[in-house]
Amino acid sequence: MMNSLEIFSWFEHLYIVVVLIFVIGILASGKKSGSIMAWIFTVLFIPIIGIILYMVLGVNWRRRRILKNKLENSPHKMFVSLSNELAKNELSKYDTRDIFSSYKDNVERTDKYMRDMEDHSDVAKLLYNTGSTYLTLNTSYDFYFDGGEAFDSIIKDLENAKESIYIEFFIWRSDELGERVKDVLIKKASEGIDIKLIFDGLGSFGRISRKYKKALEKAGIKYRYFLDVRYNILKLNYRNHRKMVIVDGNVLHTGGMNLGQEYIDGGKQFESWRDTNIRITGEMCVHYLAVFISDWLNSSGKFDFIIPEIEDSSSGDYLMQLCASGPDTIWSSLQMLYTKMITEAKEEILIESPYFVPDDSIFEQLKIAALSGIKVKIIMAGKPDKKIPFWVAETYFEEIIDSGMEIYRYQKGFLHCKNIIIDGKLATMGTCNFDFRSFELNYEINTVYYNKEMAGKLREQFFEDLKYCTEIKNEDLDRKGFLLRLRDSVFRVLSPIL
């Protein structure tokens, strides 16, 4: 019979074998190099817990989707069977691209619009090839840089709904704003309006009261949780960060704002909240509806939608394109979009994001742009809602400053908008932060504006925000002690998995 020392030695050797197996699995996972190094670091230096974390949070869903597609196209029955097995463990079953492809005239429209474009047609081609999204002409838009104005506009459109209301938010709270929206929804439901709501399984977890949900159910309002963490802990690390309100299929509200009172007044944590939303009428509405439908179906909802025809917006002045991606999409479309936009710049790159945690490739492109004489200005949150991304961002500051970029922290409340403006002519705004989580782990959605007027308005707001910022200088970095720098660097190594 083994004594306690021998048993310990046996378990020690078994653990080493298990760790080696996991390290080999991580190396062969197909993840990006930064993510591979972060997971190996976690498994090696956080005994047992690191392995459990990888089992729960480390699945490469994008590789599974690629493998499934390859197997489905294989003539061999064995591969098709394996594809079906993979499908059982997918993050999402329904692909937005399949819904886009059902609109057969979109390809012709996009080809025509692309021929008429003066600049940035390569950006449009990239989004079409990575996400099958089409160029759209739109008849009107309004930007909102204040939460109160944005939600007043949303509620007004909800009150005027005639057929359908489809809403999706990462965070939905049953607070003062949530009650206002609920009251309108219940009234519209009594008028026979088709209403469907999507809450993120983690972002809205514990934020909607039971009484609130019962009121929705009693009114006949359908709602679903996307990736409900109560039933599948393996999907805990993946979040639907998208935000959209679609009314009658012809009015769209989208941007950085969630449904919570803090987006109007800053809440208890901040004196104010700076964000960006947009209201759009035109072809883009139906394209967002396609994303909503796929998210609804992936949340176990049924396909019973009121789908409008795509109206002819050939008289519209505003050329836009949707860009959506997630952890299981074949391409990291939004990361590719941000990278491509940076390489398109000739004079100026303006970035606003609460967090700045880029991967090495996109950070290299920013440094190349700055060292080539292009003006690069970055605004991030100066008063953080999360400590770790704030610390990690500081590890980039020295290279940012040395390469000639300018980095600012917004001090008037919390900055939450996600905007990129290139040369005052091309811009994107939406839900995607400038960080690894948004690029690789979240379901995100942005709109690209191929319009000088729209880009100009976002640029004008950027410089208005700059008035409430402090610029980070080299001397500010010198004040930070060794232990704090070490802490920040450790979290930077782990950032691809946080």
Side-chain angles (χ1 to χ4, degrees):
M1 189 173 180
M2 292 188 295
N3 58 37
S4 58
L5 187 61
E6 290 173 326
I7 292 173
F8 178 80
S9 178
W10 185 86
F11 274 108
E12 183 180 33
H13 285 86
L14 177 62
Y15 179 74
I16 292 172
V17 171
V18 171
V19 167
L20 287 174
I21 290 172
F22 271 86
V23 168
I24 292 170
I26 293 168
L27 289 170
S29 67
K31 293 178 179 290
K32 294 186 177 181
S33 58
S35 183
I36 287 174
M37 292 306 298
W39 277 118
I40 289 177
F41 181 91
T42 302
V43 168
L44 290 179
F45 293 99
I46 309 178
I48 301 176
I49 295 175
I51 291 175
I52 295 172
L53 286 174
Y54 183 74
M55 292 172 66
V56 173
L57 307 177
V59 177
N60 189 338
W61 296 102
R62 177 167 288 121
R63 191 180 184 193
R64 284 192 176 209
R65 173 63 64 89
I66 294 171
L67 177 59
K68 175 178 175 287
N69 288 348
K70 288 181 178 179
L71 293 173
E72 282 179 342
N73 295 324
S74 170
H76 301 291
K77 292 182 179 179
M78 180 182 71
F79 289 159
V80 174
S81 176
L82 181 55
S83 170
N84 292 334
E85 287 300 312
L86 278 176
K88 295 177 183 177
N89 293 305
E90 285 184 305
L91 272 179
S92 59
K93 181 179 179 181
Y94 298 93
D95 194 332
T96 305
R97 295 177 304 163
D98 297 332
I99 301 175
F100 283 140
S101 63
S102 67
Y103 296 100
K104 296 180 181 179
D105 60 345
N106 273 331
V107 176
E108 289 76 13
R109 288 171 185 260
T110 293
D111 287 342
K112 178 183 181 301
Y113 297 159
M114 205 175 293
R115 287 194 299 271
D116 295 339
M117 291 178 71
E118 295 181 6
D119 299 301
H120 310 303
S121 61
D122 286 351
V123 176
K125 290 176 186 175
L126 171 70
L127 300 190
Y128 175 75
N129 288 327
T130 58
S132 299
T133 59
Y134 305 97
L135 286 165
T136 67
L137 271 178
N138 299 274
T139 52
S140 72
Y141 77 93
D142 289 289
F143 281 119
Y144 297 98
F145 305 112
D146 171 80
E149 293 177 358
F151 280 102
D152 284 347
S153 178
I154 288 172
I155 289 172
K156 182 179 179 180
D157 283 328
L158 295 179
E159 291 172 337
N160 292 328
K162 298 294 187 293
E163 293 184 339
S164 62
I165 295 172
Y166 304 134
I167 306 178
E168 178 173 353
F169 280 109
F170 172 61
I171 294 174
W172 188 305
R173 295 185 189 274
S174 54
D175 58 9
E176 181 181 342
L177 176 60
E179 288 293 331
R180 285 176 61 197
V181 172
K182 182 198 72 176
D183 291 344
V184 175
L185 294 178
I186 290 175
K187 180 177 182 297
K188 300 309 291 187
S190 70
E191 298 172 8
I193 305 299
D194 181 38
I195 302 177
K196 293 181 174 67
L197 315 176
I198 300 177
F199 318 133
D200 180 67
L202 186 63
S204 296
F205 181 76
R207 291 186 164 112
I208 307 173
S209 69
R210 186 174 300 177
K211 179 181 177 182
Y212 190 98
K213 288 185 282 190
K214 283 185 176 180
L216 295 177
E217 293 166 5
K218 184 178 179 180
I221 296 170
K222 301 173 185 175
Y223 65 85
R224 293 287 184 273
Y225 279 91
F226 189 96
L227 297 183
D228 196 333
V229 296
R230 293 174 299 175
Y231 305 115
N232 197 331
I233 195 171
L234 293 178
K235 297 174 182 178
L236 179 66
N237 203 32
Y238 304 97
R239 299 158 201 177
N240 189 328
H241 199 234
R242 296 166 180 164
K243 298 102 176 167
M244 65 185 81
V245 178
I246 307 164
V247 179
D248 294 337
N250 55 38
V251 176
L252 166 70
H253 291 264
T254 186
M257 299 182 196
N258 288 295
L259 203 153
Q261 186 63 28
E262 70 268 28
Y263 289 81
I264 293 177
D265 57 24
K268 296 178 180 179
Q269 191 174 358
F270 302 103
E271 62 185 270
S272 63
W273 195 283
R274 167 66 189 94
D275 219 324
T276 303
N277 252 41
I278 188 171
R279 180 187 188 272
I280 299 169
T281 62
E283 296 173 350
M284 181 57 69
C285 302
V286 177
H287 289 239
Y288 265 78
L289 177 57
V291 177
F292 183 91
I293 291 172
S294 68
D295 287 349
W296 180 261
L297 297 177
N298 286 322
S299 305
S300 302
K302 295 181 179 179
F303 191 97
D304 55 348
F305 284 83
I306 298 174
I307 301 179
E309 294 292 328
I310 297 182
E311 297 181 4
D312 183 5
S313 300
S314 55
S315 60
D317 295 321
Y318 308 108
L319 192 63
M320 308 178 198
Q321 192 172 14
L322 180 152
C323 183
S325 65
D328 58 350
T329 53
I330 293 175
W331 302 105
S332 302
S333 300
L334 277 159
Q335 183 180 18
M336 291 180 175
L337 167 66
Y338 282 17
T339 304
K340 180 62 176 173
M341 289 180 69
I342 291 167
T343 62
E344 291 275 302
K346 300 292 188 293
E347 298 176 358
E348 180 184 73
I349 300 169
L350 306 178
I351 298 170
E352 283 187 279
S353 174
Y355 321 114
F356 186 81
V357 188
D359 73 355
D360 290 342
S361 62
I362 199 167
F363 191 48
E364 284 299 313
Q365 292 298 331
L366 280 173
K367 289 188 289 185
I368 290 170
L371 292 167
S372 300
I374 296 171
K375 295 179 182 178
V376 181
K377 299 179 186 290
I378 303 163
I379 299 178
M380 61 171 289
K383 300 178 180 180
D385 63 336
K386 300 178 181 70
K387 293 291 187 182
I388 292 176
F390 193 76
W391 296 336
V392 174
E394 294 187 344
T395 65
Y396 294 91
F397 286 177
E398 186 173 353
E399 287 184 90
I400 286 173
I401 296 168
D402 289 347
S403 64
M405 289 184 263
E406 298 172 14
I407 180 78
Y408 298 85
R409 280 180 169 159
Y410 186 79
Q411 301 298 334
K412 187 184 177 183
F414 182 61
L415 180 126
H416 189 253
C417 58
K418 308 95 167 48
N419 309 332
I420 300 179
I421 309 106
I422 304 297
D423 297 337
K425 299 177 181 178
L426 173 70
T428 186
M429 185 273 291
T431 70
C432 184
N433 294 309
F434 211 96
D435 65 6
F436 187 90
R437 167 160 286 283
S438 281
F439 293 149
E440 295 290 337
L441 300 178
N442 288 348
Y443 291 89
E444 304 280 3
I445 191 165
N446 272 38
T447 310
V448 181
Y449 311 112
Y450 302 96
N451 182 276
K452 188 174 181 179
E453 175 187 306
M454 299 182 76
K457 288 191 176 182
L458 288 173
R459 183 179 186 274
E460 183 179 320
Q461 183 61 41
F462 180 95
F463 284 98
E464 182 65 25
D465 294 337
L466 206 60
K467 296 176 183 178
Y468 304 100
C469 294
T470 56
E471 185 176 2
I472 305 300
K473 299 287 189 180
N474 271 322
E475 51 265 30
D476 299 315
L477 307 182
D478 294 338
R479 300 191 190 105
K480 198 159 192 176
F482 171 76
L483 290 179
L484 292 179
R485 286 174 179 261
L486 179 62
R487 176 202 64 188
D488 296 351
S489 297
V490 169
F491 279 113
R492 177 168 173 173
V493 172
L494 296 175
S495 62
I497 65 175
L498 295 176

mmCIF file of all heavy atoms in Angstrom, residues 201-218:
data_model
loop_
_atom_site.group_PDB
_atom_site.id
_atom_site.type_symbol
_atom_site.label_atom_id
_atom_site.label_comp_id
_atom_site.label_asym_id
_atom_site.label_seq_id
_atom_site.Cartn_x
_atom_site.Cartn_y
_atom_site.Cartn_z
ATOM 1 N N GLY A 201 -27.178 37.042 -22.179
ATOM 2 C CA GLY A 201 -27.282 36.149 -21.037
ATOM 3 C C GLY A 201 -26.434 36.558 -19.855
ATOM 4 O O GLY A 201 -26.786 36.268 -18.706
ATOM 5 N N LEU A 202 -25.319 37.239 -20.096
ATOM 6 C CA LEU A 202 -24.462 37.684 -18.998
ATOM 7 C C LEU A 202 -24.640 39.176 -18.717
ATOM 8 O O LEU A 202 -24.766 39.587 -17.568
ATOM 9 C CB LEU A 202 -22.995 37.393 -19.306
ATOM 10 C CG LEU A 202 -22.016 37.677 -18.171
ATOM 11 C CD1 LEU A 202 -22.312 36.771 -16.976
ATOM 12 C CD2 LEU A 202 -20.570 37.477 -18.617
ATOM 13 N N GLY A 203 -24.661 39.989 -19.783
ATOM 14 C CA GLY A 203 -24.766 41.435 -19.601
ATOM 15 C C GLY A 203 -26.027 41.861 -18.872
ATOM 16 O O GLY A 203 -26.015 42.828 -18.105
ATOM 17 N N SER A 204 -27.133 41.126 -19.106
ATOM 18 C CA SER A 204 -28.405 41.469 -18.459
ATOM 19 C C SER A 204 -28.730 40.545 -17.290
ATOM 20 O O SER A 204 -29.809 40.651 -16.699
ATOM 21 C CB SER A 204 -29.544 41.404 -19.497
ATOM 22 O OG SER A 204 -29.362 42.376 -20.503
ATOM 23 N N PHE A 205 -27.804 39.657 -16.954
ATOM 24 C CA PHE A 205 -28.032 38.701 -15.871
ATOM 25 C C PHE A 205 -28.211 39.436 -14.546
ATOM 26 O O PHE A 205 -27.360 40.227 -14.130
ATOM 27 C CB PHE A 205 -26.862 37.721 -15.783
ATOM 28 C CG PHE A 205 -27.025 36.681 -14.703
ATOM 29 C CD1 PHE A 205 -27.887 35.619 -14.881
ATOM 30 C CD2 PHE A 205 -26.324 36.780 -13.507
ATOM 31 C CE1 PHE A 205 -28.046 34.656 -13.892
ATOM 32 C CE2 PHE A 205 -26.471 35.827 -12.512
ATOM 33 C CZ PHE A 205 -27.340 34.766 -12.714
ATOM 34 N N GLY A 206 -29.338 39.198 -13.869
ATOM 35 C CA GLY A 206 -29.591 39.810 -12.574
ATOM 36 C C GLY A 206 -29.983 41.267 -12.619
ATOM 37 O O GLY A 206 -30.149 41.904 -11.576
ATOM 38 N N ARG A 207 -30.140 41.822 -13.836
ATOM 39 C CA ARG A 207 -30.447 43.247 -13.957
ATOM 40 C C ARG A 207 -31.921 43.509 -14.295
ATOM 41 O O ARG A 207 -32.339 44.652 -14.338
ATOM 42 C CB ARG A 207 -29.554 43.877 -15.031
ATOM 43 C CG ARG A 207 -28.080 43.942 -14.614
ATOM 44 C CD ARG A 207 -27.262 44.700 -15.646
ATOM 45 N NE ARG A 207 -25.974 45.085 -15.104
ATOM 46 C CZ ARG A 207 -24.801 44.596 -15.506
ATOM 47 N NH1 ARG A 207 -24.775 43.683 -16.458
ATOM 48 N NH2 ARG A 207 -23.665 45.017 -14.976
ATOM 49 N N ILE A 208 -32.666 42.436 -14.583
ATOM 50 C CA ILE A 208 -34.083 42.578 -14.911
ATOM 51 C C ILE A 208 -34.884 41.841 -13.845
ATOM 52 O O ILE A 208 -34.714 40.631 -13.654
ATOM 53 C CB ILE A 208 -34.386 42.007 -16.308
ATOM 54 C CG1 ILE A 208 -33.444 42.615 -17.359
ATOM 55 C CG2 ILE A 208 -35.839 42.268 -16.686
ATOM 56 C CD1 ILE A 208 -33.564 41.980 -18.723
ATOM 57 N N SER A 209 -35.747 42.539 -13.158
ATOM 58 C CA SER A 209 -36.498 41.929 -12.060
ATOM 59 C C SER A 209 -37.514 40.916 -12.575
ATOM 60 O O SER A 209 -37.967 40.980 -13.721
ATOM 61 C CB SER A 209 -37.215 43.011 -11.249
ATOM 62 O OG SER A 209 -38.264 43.582 -12.015
ATOM 63 N N ARG A 210 -37.877 39.989 -11.713
ATOM 64 C CA ARG A 210 -38.887 38.984 -12.059
ATOM 65 C C ARG A 210 -40.231 39.657 -12.357
ATOM 66 O O ARG A 210 -40.954 39.260 -13.273
ATOM 67 C CB ARG A 210 -39.024 37.979 -10.917
ATOM 68 C CG ARG A 210 -39.948 36.812 -11.225
ATOM 69 C CD ARG A 210 -39.919 35.801 -10.100
ATOM 70 N NE ARG A 210 -38.573 35.262 -9.896
ATOM 71 C CZ ARG A 210 -38.271 34.394 -8.924
ATOM 72 N NH1 ARG A 210 -39.209 33.993 -8.077
ATOM 73 N NH2 ARG A 210 -37.038 33.954 -8.803
ATOM 74 N N LYS A 211 -40.555 40.674 -11.579
ATOM 75 C CA LYS A 211 -41.813 41.407 -11.782
ATOM 76 C C LYS A 211 -41.850 42.042 -13.171
ATOM 77 O O LYS A 211 -42.881 42.029 -13.855
ATOM 78 C CB LYS A 211 -41.953 42.482 -10.706
ATOM 79 C CG LYS A 211 -43.205 43.326 -10.825
ATOM 80 C CD LYS A 211 -43.238 44.395 -9.723
ATOM 81 C CE LYS A 211 -44.462 45.300 -9.885
ATOM 82 N NZ LYS A 211 -44.476 46.372 -8.861
ATOM 83 N N TYR A 212 -40.713 42.587 -13.585
ATOM 84 C CA TYR A 212 -40.595 43.234 -14.896
ATOM 85 C C TYR A 212 -40.852 42.224 -16.005
ATOM 86 O O TYR A 212 -41.635 42.470 -16.942
ATOM 87 C CB TYR A 212 -39.194 43.836 -15.014
ATOM 88 C CG TYR A 212 -38.943 44.756 -16.191
ATOM 89 C CD1 TYR A 212 -39.009 46.130 -16.050
ATOM 90 C CD2 TYR A 212 -38.600 44.244 -17.436
ATOM 91 C CE1 TYR A 212 -38.735 46.987 -17.108
ATOM 92 C CE2 TYR A 212 -38.335 45.088 -18.508
ATOM 93 C CZ TYR A 212 -38.405 46.458 -18.332
ATOM 94 O OH TYR A 212 -38.140 47.293 -19.396
ATOM 95 N N LYS A 213 -40.204 41.056 -15.904
ATOM 96 C CA LYS A 213 -40.363 40.029 -16.935
ATOM 97 C C LYS A 213 -41.781 39.473 -16.964
ATOM 98 O O LYS A 213 -42.326 39.171 -18.037
ATOM 99 C CB LYS A 213 -39.329 38.914 -16.715
ATOM 100 C CG LYS A 213 -37.915 39.342 -17.073
ATOM 101 C CD LYS A 213 -36.912 38.222 -16.967
ATOM 102 C CE LYS A 213 -36.518 37.959 -15.539
ATOM 103 N NZ LYS A 213 -35.368 37.023 -15.439
ATOM 104 N N LYS A 214 -42.391 39.338 -15.797
ATOM 105 C CA LYS A 214 -43.780 38.852 -15.763
ATOM 106 C C LYS A 214 -44.727 39.841 -16.450
ATOM 107 O O LYS A 214 -45.690 39.438 -17.114
ATOM 108 C CB LYS A 214 -44.210 38.620 -14.320
ATOM 109 C CG LYS A 214 -43.656 37.334 -13.715
ATOM 110 C CD LYS A 214 -44.214 37.099 -12.317
ATOM 111 C CE LYS A 214 -43.737 35.762 -11.763
ATOM 112 N NZ LYS A 214 -44.260 35.504 -10.398
ATOM 113 N N ALA A 215 -44.451 41.134 -16.293
ATOM 114 C CA ALA A 215 -45.275 42.149 -16.947
ATOM 115 C C ALA A 215 -45.154 42.045 -18.468
ATOM 116 O O ALA A 215 -46.145 42.190 -19.193
ATOM 117 C CB ALA A 215 -44.873 43.540 -16.468
ATOM 118 N N LEU A 216 -43.931 41.791 -18.951
ATOM 119 C CA LEU A 216 -43.726 41.595 -20.391
ATOM 120 C C LEU A 216 -44.492 40.372 -20.883
ATOM 121 O O LEU A 216 -45.170 40.412 -21.920
ATOM 122 C CB LEU A 216 -42.229 41.435 -20.696
ATOM 123 C CG LEU A 216 -41.318 42.633 -20.423
ATOM 124 C CD1 LEU A 216 -39.865 42.256 -20.708
ATOM 125 C CD2 LEU A 216 -41.722 43.850 -21.252
ATOM 126 N N GLU A 217 -44.360 39.277 -20.135
ATOM 127 C CA GLU A 217 -45.030 38.034 -20.527
ATOM 128 C C GLU A 217 -46.547 38.192 -20.544
ATOM 129 O O GLU A 217 -47.230 37.715 -21.458
ATOM 130 C CB GLU A 217 -44.621 36.913 -19.570
ATOM 131 C CG GLU A 217 -43.156 36.517 -19.673
ATOM 132 C CD GLU A 217 -42.693 35.665 -18.504
ATOM 133 O OE1 GLU A 217 -43.552 35.315 -17.658
ATOM 134 O OE2 GLU A 217 -41.487 35.372 -18.424
ATOM 135 N N LYS A 218 -47.078 38.861 -19.536
ATOM 136 C CA LYS A 218 -48.529 39.059 -19.442
ATOM 137 C C LYS A 218 -49.051 39.852 -20.639
ATOM 138 O O LYS A 218 -50.177 39.624 -21.112
ATOM 139 C CB LYS A 218 -48.867 39.778 -18.137
ATOM 140 C CG LYS A 218 -50.358 39.937 -17.892
ATOM 141 C CD LYS A 218 -50.631 40.617 -16.554
ATOM 142 C CE LYS A 218 -52.139 40.786 -16.327
ATOM 143 N NZ LYS A 218 -52.419 41.455 -15.032
#
